[in-house]
Structure formats: structure tokens, C-alpha cells
Amino acid sequence: MKKSTILSLATAIAVVGTSAFTFAVWDETTASKTATLSVGSPVKITADTFENFKEDSSRTLGNNPVYTSDVTFNISGNDTGKATSLTLTPTVKENDVTLSADKVDVTLEQTGDDTGLLDLVDSKIEASNTYTVKVTVKDAGLAAKDLTVEVTGELK
């Protein structure tokens, strides 16, 4: 190659290189900013009290016995209303076997000002939610047996 060709190529490369990297001095091509992210607390439900059942003393002969107890569910971290309802699921068992509706009947009631309970769904949940659980024993074969009652609360 001739000296003039080599000199021309070197000059061209120098000009292209200088113009290609000139923007780095004059132009601002990136930017960034930081922000703080505060992770909130989870919504949490806990079962508080659930005392042993007591037989309704007003039962008369010929009527099925009714037993009552109160269960309380506490909810924390729901200040912004993430959970809007509490679904309750009662279960009665004899020796870990769930009893059917023909043997026992379970109802839940809510008293006081907060009466949002309808069909086992409470639409007016608060920090503390207390329900009266009533179990009517319809099967005489359950007489003198110990039953286990469980109420599960699920936030939705």
C-alpha cells in the first residue's frame, strides 16, 4: 500500500474516532434516581378464644340438646382494607371423623353492633370478631361422647 493511502486511512480513522466519542463529553445519555421501598406488614388472622361448650339449660324433654360457646378471631395488618370479609367454616368431629348434618347442626351468630355475618360470611370485619357457635346434637347415638368442634376463619 502506498504511504498516501495509509496516511489517508489513518486520518479517516482518527476523524471517525474523534467524532464517535465526542458525545460522551457533551451529551448526558444516562440518569438514575433512588427511592425507598418500605415493606408493609402482612394481614394476619389468629384464633383467640374458644372455650369448651356448655349445654343450654333451657332444653326441655323431647327437644335436641343445644351447646354454645364463643369463638374470637383477631385480625391485624388490615388497616387499608386488603381483606374485606371473613368466611367461617365450622366442623364437628367424633374421633377425627367429621359428622354429617343429619347428626349435628352448627350455626354461628354475631351479636352487638357488628352484625355483618350472613351465611357464614362476615362482611364487617374488625380487629376483633366474636361469634357464638351453637351445636344442636340430633343423633341420640352421640350421647355421652366427646365431640370436637373446630371453626376455621379465612380472610378474603
Side-chain angles (χ1 to χ4, degrees):
M1 238 193 230
K2 292 184 184 180
K3 286 184 183 181
S4 63
T5 306
I6 293 174
L7 184 57
S8 296
L9 286 173
T11 304
I13 290 171
V15 169
V16 169
T18 303
S19 3
F21 298 111
T22 303
F23 73 91
V25 175
W26 298 103
D27 298 327
E28 294 179 20
T29 59
T30 61
S32 67
K33 185 71 177 166
T34 60
T36 302
L37 178 132
S38 297
V39 178
S41 300
V43 176
K44 184 177 180 183
I45 182 171
T46 55
D48 190 14
T49 57
F50 196 15
E51 297 180 8
N52 289 333
F53 282 78
K54 296 178 183 168
E55 184 175 3
D56 185 351
S57 61
S58 65
R59 181 174 82 85
T60 58
L61 290 177
N63 292 317
N64 293 327
V66 177
Y67 300 85
T68 61
S69 180
D70 289 337
V71 62
T72 300
F73 290 97
N74 293 323
I75 301 168
S76 61
N78 195 39
D79 355 330
T80 58
K82 294 174 191 82
T84 58
S85 66
L86 175 60
T87 300
L88 302 167
T89 306
T91 308
V92 180
K93 296 180 181 180
E94 178 192 10
N95 298 325
D96 293 328
V97 176
T98 301
L99 300 175
S100 60
D102 62 322
K103 295 184 184 262
V104 293
D105 182 43
V106 183
T107 59
L108 279 87
E109 298 175 356
Q110 192 173 30
T111 57
D113 294 335
D114 180 23
T115 55
L117 185 64
L118 179 64
D119 296 326
L120 300 177
V121 177
D122 187 355
S123 60
K124 294 182 181 176
I125 55 175
E126 298 174 340
S128 181
N129 304 274
T130 301
Y131 309 94
T132 300
V133 183
K134 291 185 179 183
V135 178
T136 303
V137 178
K138 302 189 284 187
D139 183 354
L142 296 173
K145 295 192 177 178
D146 288 332
L147 306 178
T148 303
V149 180
E150 178 181 45
V151 179
T152 302
E154 181 182 4
L155 293 171
K156 296 186 178 182

